[in-house]
Amino acid sequence: MRAIISDMLEAFGFDNVTEVARSSTAFEILARNQVDLIIAQYEEDAPVGLQLTTMVRSAEDNLDPNLPIIFITLSADDDAVQKAYRCGANAAIASPVNAKELFSTICALFERQKPQVKSSHYAGPNQRQPSNQKKHH
């Protein structure tokens, strides 16, 4: 799955795509490098994406806690998607991922970023407020 998504990202024009399998490795890379986007797999029985999102959203060092995060869920059911959002994801896509959906999701994230909130129980995009729309004159 990671290799397929990496190939898609490179086809979209991303020139520096890094794949990692562990949240601790990803966090180390994020701490040392400028990163524009995270795409993580969300699985209830393998919480790597959840761990990484929690680490990013609560980071206080050099890491941007507002970094856009897309979760790839193994199921399209509403429960899996809602859990991904509650974890702090900006977007969720059900597997199998197709290039058109991934590209449109990435574009939407960078065009209409939601304000970020942080509380004792949640850090991430404000899911209750509509996305900031660019005004066209």
Side-chain angles (χ1 to χ4, degrees):
M1 174 76 81
R2 284 191 309 269
I4 293 169
I5 291 174
S6 290
D7 289 345
M8 287 183 198
L9 293 171
E10 289 171 357
F12 299 156
F14 285 86
D15 57 0
N16 188 8
V17 177
T18 303
E19 296 177 46
V20 296
R22 300 179 57 195
S23 58
S24 58
T25 305
F27 194 72
E28 291 172 15
I29 291 169
L30 291 169
R32 292 190 315 258
N33 299 284
Q34 173 67 38
V35 176
D36 298 318
L37 173 69
I38 295 174
I39 299 176
Q41 191 160 345
Y42 177 82
E43 300 176 45
E44 287 192 53
D45 58 339
V48 173
L50 171 59
Q51 290 170 347
L52 179 60
T53 301
T54 301
M55 289 161 51
V56 169
R57 296 296 184 226
S58 62
E60 295 180 9
D61 296 333
N62 299 346
L63 192 57
D64 179 6
N66 301 323
L67 189 63
I69 299 174
I70 299 173
F71 272 11
I72 306 300
T73 64
L74 296 181
S75 170
D77 70 33
D78 285 339
D79 189 46
V81 172
Q82 291 305 315
K83 284 181 182 179
Y85 281 116
R86 284 193 301 268
C87 292
N90 296 82
I93 300 173
S95 186
V97 177
N98 69 61
K100 183 177 179 180
E101 182 178 17
L102 180 60
F103 185 75
S104 65
T105 300
I106 292 170
C107 289
L109 278 179
F110 288 109
E111 289 174 2
R112 301 180 312 265
Q113 289 194 358
K114 290 185 175 187
Q116 301 291 308
V117 295
K118 190 169 188 176
S119 72
S120 60
H121 301 290
Y122 175 79
N126 184 351
Q127 301 298 344
R128 294 182 180 174
Q129 183 172 347
S131 300
N132 292 335
Q133 300 286 334
K134 285 190 173 181
K135 294 181 182 178
H136 300 285
H137 298 286

